[in-house]
Amino acid sequence: MYLSYYGLEFNPFDKDIETKYAFETEDFKILKNRLNYIKDNKTMALITGNPGMGKTFAIRNFLNDLNQNLYKVIYICMSTVTTYEFYKQLCYELGIEPPFKKIDMFKEIQQRIISLSKDKKINLIIVLDEAQYLKNEILNDLKILLNFDLDSKNYVTLILVGQPILNSILRRNIFEALNQRITVSYNMNGINKDELKEYINSRISLAHGNNGIFNEQAIEAIFNACSGSLRIVNNIITKSFIIGKSKDTMTIDSNIILEAVNELSLG
């Protein structure tokens, strides 16, 4: 087993790592602060970043820290659904038996949101992941769905998460009203070189391994290949463990990293 060969009790670079072991990059810290702001102010946020930058993991970490007695979370990643299907999904998540007509679903959704806030003192947070794929009709409806008491009250926190193209989409004239509701916007830049070395060492220590498995040239090669993406970092490192063991070497150098990168690109 390649993990035990390097003295690791488990793979600390696996995507299923518990959120309590989150490595806090500068990106992560900034995003967490901004998410806490919108949580307390019941407003709308736009979080973007290229694939693998850690958007979903950061959101998951934020949501896991919430008091379940005070917050209700609706997470939707079915971004290619029709407008009708989107409303049905919201109904199900809110415990509503979806009426036949969209207008009736709309009314019941708003009533349930108001009831959660006023009667049960529960704050609702809706997260729409991969939002760059949302249909124009859904994006247009969001501004109406979030209009309460003649637009004088905020009863829900909405977080749109997606790739950077989502910024361009929301700048279109047809989405101006929705765009104006966004009070927090952040684009994740990815991990930097100093953070990468600290990240690798902290992950290895977490799995009770010994630091020094990766030499400086290997870390440099990983950084050059990852484009700031922690997902790519994790994939490269996992592949390099397998290659390193096959070569019977305890030290992973830049040659092994380049071989790992080539194998991943071919795969």
Side-chain angles (χ1 to χ4, degrees):
M1 181 69 176
Y2 66 91
L3 293 177
S4 59
Y5 179 81
Y6 288 103
L8 303 174
E9 296 181 4
F10 60 92
N11 185 359
F13 301 97
D14 190 271
K15 69 176 182 179
D16 294 329
I17 198 78
E18 293 183 56
T19 55
K20 66 180 179 180
Y21 298 125
F23 179 80
E24 298 195 359
T25 62
E26 188 64 25
D27 249 357
F28 186 95
K29 293 173 184 176
I30 293 173
L31 180 54
K32 195 169 184 178
N33 286 335
R34 299 194 182 190
L35 289 173
N36 281 324
Y37 170 82
I38 65 161
K39 172 197 70 175
D40 297 332
N41 291 276
K42 294 182 181 178
T43 183
M44 181 174 170
L46 173 63
I47 310 302
T48 56
N50 287 322
M53 292 294 180
K55 301 184 298 298
T56 302
F57 183 81
I59 295 291
R60 182 155 55 94
N61 183 275
F62 162 72
L63 296 177
N64 285 348
D65 286 343
L66 296 176
N67 186 330
Q68 295 184 2
N69 295 318
L70 300 176
Y71 294 92
K72 176 176 178 58
V73 176
I74 295 177
Y75 176 86
I76 298 177
C77 194
M78 296 169 54
S79 300
T80 58
V81 296
T82 65
T83 309
Y84 184 79
E85 290 169 335
F86 174 76
Y87 273 84
K88 282 185 67 176
Q89 179 70 11
L90 272 183
C91 283
Y92 288 136
E93 295 287 350
L94 289 167
I96 301 168
E97 183 62 33
F100 181 73
K101 294 182 179 180
K102 190 183 92 169
I103 185 63
D104 294 328
M105 286 193 285
F106 174 87
K107 291 178 181 178
E108 292 208 27
I109 288 169
Q110 279 211 328
Q111 289 171 2
R112 181 60 56 88
I113 290 174
I114 293 172
S115 175
L116 284 172
S117 180
K118 286 186 173 181
D119 302 333
K120 298 184 178 181
K121 308 302 180 186
I122 292 177
N123 299 292
L124 178 63
I125 298 178
I126 300 175
V127 181
L128 302 181
D129 207 349
E130 299 294 348
Q132 72 274 5
Y133 298 122
L134 285 172
K135 296 183 182 300
N136 289 352
E137 293 81 3
I138 296 176
L139 288 173
N140 275 322
D141 273 16
L142 286 176
K143 67 178 182 292
I144 306 172
L145 195 63
L146 300 179
N147 187 325
F148 297 95
D149 299 339
L150 299 178
D151 212 17
S152 64
K153 298 288 186 180
N154 291 328
Y155 293 117
V156 60
T157 295
L158 176 67
I159 305 174
L160 295 177
V161 186
Q163 295 179 25
I165 193 173
L166 183 58
N167 291 296
S168 300
I169 292 171
L170 293 176
R171 282 196 292 268
R172 297 174 187 169
N173 290 337
I174 58 172
F175 301 129
E176 182 177 356
L178 178 63
N179 202 22
Q180 288 176 358
R181 294 177 179 273
I182 298 172
T183 58
V184 170
S185 181
Y186 186 67
N187 186 73
M188 298 189 74
N189 299 304
I191 194 167
N192 64 44
K193 189 185 296 185
D194 291 335
E195 290 172 336
L196 177 60
K197 183 175 182 178
E198 185 181 350
Y199 171 73
I200 292 173
N201 289 338
S202 69
R203 297 292 93 175
I204 291 175
S205 295
L206 182 64
H208 303 110
N210 296 317
N211 290 329
I213 297 173
F214 296 86
N215 64 25
E216 291 294 331
Q217 291 73 29
I219 294 174
E220 180 79 21
I222 295 170
F223 180 74
N224 290 336
C226 75
S227 301
S229 168
L230 273 175
R231 183 184 300 159
I232 294 176
V233 169
N234 292 340
N235 290 341
I236 291 172
I237 289 177
T238 299
K239 178 65 71 172
S240 70
F241 282 143
I242 298 171
I243 295 172
K245 182 182 183 302
S246 71
K247 293 179 180 294
D248 198 27
T249 177
M250 294 300 297
T251 301
I252 294 177
D253 59 18
S254 59
N255 289 329
I256 291 176
I257 296 300
L258 293 176
E259 189 173 337
V261 171
N262 288 335
E263 285 196 18
L264 289 168
S265 64
L266 290 174

